[in-house]
Amino acid sequence: MNTSQIDEVFAKHSPAQSQNHVNIYQNKSNAWQALHALAQNSRTLTELFEDDRRGEHFALSSCDMYMDFSKQLIDDEVLSALLTLADDCQLSSKINDLLTGKKVNDTENRPALHTALRSPKGKMLIVDGMDVNAQVHDSLAKAKTMVKRIRTGVWRGYAGHAMTDVVNIGVGGSDLGPLMATTALSEWSDTPIRVHFVSNMDGTQLDGLLKVLNPQTTLFIISSKSFGTVDTLSNAKTALGWLMSAHDNKSTILRRHFIGISTRSDKMSQWGIHQSNQLLLWDWVGGRFSMWSVIGLAIAIKIGMDGFYELLSGAHSMDKHFATADFAQNMPVLLGLLGVWNSTFLGINAHSVLPYDGRLSHFPNYLTQLEMESNGKSVTRDGHQVGYDTCPILWGDIGSNAQHAFYQLLHQGTQRVSCDFITSIHRHHQHQMSNAHLSKQHQLSLSNCLAQSQVLAFGNHALPDDLDKNNDDFAKFKQYRGNQPSTTILLDSLNPKTLGSLIALYEHKVYVMSVIWQINPFDQWGVEVGKVMANQLYDVLCNKKGVESFDSSTKTLLDKIQGKF
C-alpha cells in the first residue's frame, strides 16, 4: 500500500470523531493513521469468510510449522497497511541491528545477542572487538563436559555415589525457560536422572523437595545472572544447610554438589562455588532470553547435549527465516504485526495462549514473562510517554484444561480476547504410534483445538443447524457472539528442533512489536523497583524499626505481621 492509497483509506474510513485520535498519533506515519481508520470499520470474521479462499490466503509455512492467521480480523487492505507501517518504522534495519550486535538495549547501553547463543560454531560475530561466537561455544563446550560426567555417573557426591537428582535453583528466566523446555521435551529424555526446579522464595517449594531427596546423590545448579538475586541465594543457602546436616565437610559439599551459572565469577567464588564448577554468562544475555545459554544446563542434562544442540538449531532456523524472508511471508513479522493490530488499533488488550499439548503446559507462563516483561512499557525509546496501548495482558493454559476453566469468558464474556492455538500434527515418537488409544486421544485433542477456534471466530454461525435453532427456554443463554480473533500454529511434531523454532518465533514477535511501538523490550526497570522496596521492608521486618516511613496501609500490615494487633 503506497502513501496515496493510505491517504485515500484514511479519508474513506475515518469517522467524524477520529480527530482526537489524529492528535494522539500526529507524529506517526500515514500508515498508522490509516490503520486506525480501518479499525473503526473492521468487518466481522463471518463477513470476512465469505471469501472461500481466505483459509489458504492468510497462512504460511516455515521451520516445520504452519501458521493460519485467517481468523484474525484483517483483510488485504489491513495487511498491506501493517506491512507499510513496518517499513515506516524501519523494521528491516532494526532486525539487522538486533542480529549484528548493535546496542538495541539503549537504556543499558548493550546489545541483546540471544540469537548469537544459538549460532553454529565458527560463524564469527565480532562485537566490541570480541568474537562472541567463540565465547559462546567455549562456554557450551564446558557445559558439554559437565553434562557427560553427570549423565554417565562420573560426577560423584560426597559419599561416592552417582547423581540421581539435579535441582535447578533460579527465578524468572533462570527458571521458566529451562522448566518449560524440560517439560516439553520429557519424551526425549534418555536418562534416569530426575531434574527438578525451585524458584519460590518462601522456602516451601524447596522444603517439600528436600524431604524426598537423598543428599548423597543430589546436585544443585544455582542459576543467577547477577549471583545476587535474593530469592535464588536464599534457596541455595537452604540447600547448602541441608547437605551440611548430612556431611560436615563444607569444601567437599561445595565441590561435589553445586554448580554455579552467572556473569559474576567473583561472586560465585565468594559463595563457595569451585572454579571448575562455574559456567559463565555475559551481560548481553537477557534473563528471559537466556535458556539458549548455559542457563539451559538442566535441559541438556535431561535430553543430552545432542538434543540441546538440536534445540539451538531449531531456534537458529527461525533466526534465518526472520532475517531473510519477505515480510509478507515472515512468520515473526506477521505475528508481531497482528499483535500490534489487535492491541493498539482494535483495542483488544487481552491475549491467551492455548497449547493443545500437555507437554507445553509451562509454555503460556514462559510467554507471559517474555511478552509482558519485554513490552509492558509506557515510555518510548526517546523518553516520551506513549499515547497508545502496548502489550496486552497475556495468560493461558493447556487447551483442555482451559476449556473447563476460562473459555466461558472467551465465548460469552464481555471482554475481547485474541488467542493463539498451538498443537502438533503428529503427537508421539514413531515407535509409539502403534498404540491406537494414544492415537485416538491425540485426534480428540486436535478436534477440540479446531472446534474452539471455529466457535470463537463465528459464534452461533459455526454451529450445526439443529443446535443453532435451539428454541428452548434457555436459548437466550446459549448465544455465542464469536468474532474473537485467533491464530493457529501447527507443529509437524514437538521435538527439540521445532520447540526451538517455536520459542524463537515468539521472541522475534516480541521484538517486532517493540519496534512498531518504539519501546525497548530488553530492560525491565519495573521489576527492579519492587526489589528495592522489598529490601527496605525486609530490613524493617528484621529490625522492627523504621515503620513510620511507610504509608498507612503498609504500616498497618507491618503491625499486623509483627503481632501488634
Side-chain angles (χ1 to χ4, degrees):
M1 181 177 285
N2 58 42
T3 302
S4 62
Q5 289 173 316
I6 287 176
D7 289 339
E8 182 180 343
V9 168
F10 188 54
K12 175 183 176 183
H13 293 285
S14 181
Q17 68 270 27
S18 67
Q19 186 58 46
N20 290 333
H21 297 281
V22 174
N23 291 336
I24 291 174
Y25 302 130
Q26 59 187 346
N27 295 323
K28 297 295 177 186
S29 68
N30 288 340
W32 185 288
Q33 297 185 22
L35 283 163
H36 172 70
L38 288 166
Q40 307 308 306
N41 295 273
S42 177
R43 289 184 289 166
T44 68
L45 285 168
T46 299
E47 292 169 337
L48 290 169
F49 269 86
E50 291 174 359
D51 178 0
D52 293 336
R53 301 169 300 165
R54 184 175 175 82
E56 296 180 2
H57 182 55
F58 293 105
L60 68 154
S61 299
S62 184
C63 302
D64 294 321
M65 68 178 73
Y66 178 84
M67 187 173 88
D68 171 12
F69 56 100
S70 62
K71 294 188 182 77
Q72 291 288 342
L73 289 161
I74 63 168
D75 55 19
D76 285 327
E77 198 172 27
V78 171
L79 181 57
S80 180
L82 285 169
L83 293 170
T84 301
L85 179 61
D87 290 337
D88 289 348
C89 293
Q90 301 180 317
L91 179 59
S92 182
S93 66
K94 300 298 184 184
I95 291 173
N96 185 68
D97 289 347
L98 173 72
L99 299 179
T100 58
K102 299 296 191 299
K103 293 181 179 179
V104 292
N105 183 354
D106 40 30
T107 61
E108 296 176 305
N109 194 34
R110 60 192 182 209
L113 287 172
H114 45 282
T115 56
L117 296 171
R118 57 250 193 165
S119 184
K121 187 175 182 179
K123 191 174 182 180
M124 188 178 294
L125 176 61
I126 305 298
V127 178
D128 294 334
M130 302 293 293
D131 184 354
V132 171
N133 183 273
Q135 292 179 327
V136 167
H137 282 277
D138 285 347
S139 181
L140 288 174
K142 186 173 182 180
K144 183 178 181 179
T145 300
M146 285 186 180
V147 168
K148 183 177 181 180
R149 291 181 61 209
I150 294 166
R151 285 167 56 88
T152 59
V154 173
W155 191 300
R156 302 274 168 157
Y158 67 82
H161 303 304
M163 297 297 106
T164 60
D165 295 87
V166 174
V167 182
N168 186 90
I169 299 177
V171 70
S174 298
D175 171 77
L176 286 170
L179 170 62
M180 176 274 293
T182 302
T183 304
L185 300 175
S186 57
E187 289 180 348
W188 296 84
S189 173
D190 58 353
T191 176
I193 296 174
R194 295 176 291 269
V195 178
H196 315 273
F197 294 87
V198 170
S199 60
N200 198 325
M201 73 170 74
D202 71 2
T204 55
Q205 191 180 24
L206 180 59
D207 181 64
L209 190 57
L210 295 182
K211 289 176 180 177
V212 298
L213 294 181
N214 180 352
Q216 296 181 6
T217 59
T218 300
L219 176 66
F220 292 93
I221 303 170
I222 307 176
S223 297
S224 174
K225 183 177 174 181
S226 65
F227 221 79
T229 307
V230 175
D231 323 38
T232 299
L233 293 184
S234 177
N235 278 321
K237 185 177 180 181
T238 298
L240 177 60
W242 175 71
L243 284 163
M244 290 293 295
S245 67
H247 184 76
D248 60 3
N249 189 320
K250 186 175 182 180
S251 177
T252 300
I253 290 294
L254 289 168
R255 179 69 180 268
R256 299 192 181 188
H257 292 269
F258 285 93
I259 293 172
I261 306 175
S262 177
T263 61
R264 298 293 301 272
S265 178
D266 57 337
K267 287 190 175 182
M268 286 192 284
S269 296
Q270 184 179 1
W271 197 87
I273 304 294
H274 193 273
Q275 192 76 30
S276 62
N277 292 2
Q278 295 180 13
L279 293 171
L280 292 177
L281 297 173
W282 305 270
D283 283 339
W284 47 257
V285 180
R288 54 193 173 279
F289 302 94
S290 65
M291 60 168 283
W292 315 105
S293 71
V294 288
I295 286 289
L297 181 66
I299 307 170
I301 292 171
K302 193 64 178 175
I303 67 172
M305 203 67 192
D306 288 344
F308 188 72
Y309 280 127
E310 278 292 294
L311 183 74
L312 300 183
S313 174
H316 181 63
S317 295
M318 184 57 71
D319 295 340
K320 290 193 294 184
H321 170 75
F322 184 48
T324 61
D326 183 270
F327 284 175
Q329 295 294 318
N330 192 309
M331 274 191 180
V333 169
L334 291 175
L335 201 60
L337 291 176
L338 290 169
V340 171
W341 169 244
N342 285 329
S343 184
T344 303
F345 295 101
L346 295 181
I348 302 175
N349 302 126
H351 183 71
S352 190
V353 177
L354 306 163
Y356 274 77
D357 192 317
R359 297 169 295 179
L360 291 173
S361 57
H362 294 289
F363 194 59
N365 277 350
Y366 176 78
L367 292 186
T368 296
Q369 184 199 22
L370 176 65
E371 297 212 18
M372 294 174 71
E373 190 167 272
S374 296
N375 285 340
K377 313 287 172 61
S378 58
V379 178
T380 63
R381 284 183 179 271
D382 57 11
H384 293 105
Q385 196 76 18
V386 301
Y388 43 86
D389 290 329
T390 57
C391 186
I393 296 170
L394 187 146
W395 86 104
D397 199 354
I398 303 171
S400 53
N401 287 348
Q403 287 179 205
H404 298 275
F406 55 79
Y407 269 46
Q408 172 62 40
L409 181 144
L410 300 184
H411 286 302
Q412 293 188 307
T414 60
Q415 303 297 321
R416 302 186 75 192
V417 182
S418 60
C419 299
D420 286 352
F421 292 91
I422 304 170
T423 190
S424 53
I425 298 171
H426 304 106
R427 170 62 177 85
H428 296 280
H429 294 321
Q430 189 172 0
H431 70 270
Q432 293 177 307
M433 290 303 293
S434 59
N435 189 319
H437 179 65
L438 289 177
S439 179
K440 287 183 178 179
Q441 280 192 296
H442 184 52
Q443 299 302 319
L444 179 62
S445 178
L446 286 171
S447 65
N448 273 269
C449 178
L450 298 181
Q452 293 295 337
S453 69
Q454 190 178 16
V455 177
L456 282 174
F458 309 117
N460 284 67
H461 294 289
L463 302 178
D465 288 343
D466 57 336
L467 290 178
D468 189 31
K469 294 178 181 178
N470 191 321
N471 293 317
D472 63 28
D473 293 339
F474 298 99
K476 61 185 176 182
F477 299 106
K478 300 178 181 179
Q479 300 303 307
Y480 313 100
R481 71 182 184 280
N483 214 39
Q484 297 275 52
S486 69
T487 295
T488 299
I489 297 172
L490 298 177
L491 306 180
D492 181 61
S493 64
L494 180 60
N495 55 53
K497 190 169 185 178
T498 56
L499 180 65
S501 295
L502 180 67
I503 299 167
L505 167 66
Y506 278 92
E507 287 181 345
H508 295 320
K509 170 206 172 183
V510 165
Y511 184 66
V512 169
M513 297 168 83
S514 77
V515 170
I516 305 301
W517 288 328
Q518 300 180 23
I519 58 179
N520 179 4
F522 301 116
D523 60 14
Q524 54 278 330
W525 301 108
V527 176
E528 303 304 321
V529 66
K531 294 179 182 179
V532 172
M533 290 302 300
N535 287 335
Q536 292 183 10
L537 285 161
Y538 180 69
D539 289 340
V540 171
L541 284 169
C542 291
N543 301 320
K544 299 185 178 181
K545 295 179 180 179
V547 177
E548 298 76 18
S549 63
F550 295 99
D551 62 272
S552 61
S553 171
T554 304
K555 284 191 289 186
T556 303
L557 291 169
L558 286 168
D559 285 342
K560 183 69 173 177
I561 291 168
Q562 294 174 339
K564 295 183 179 179
F565 281 93

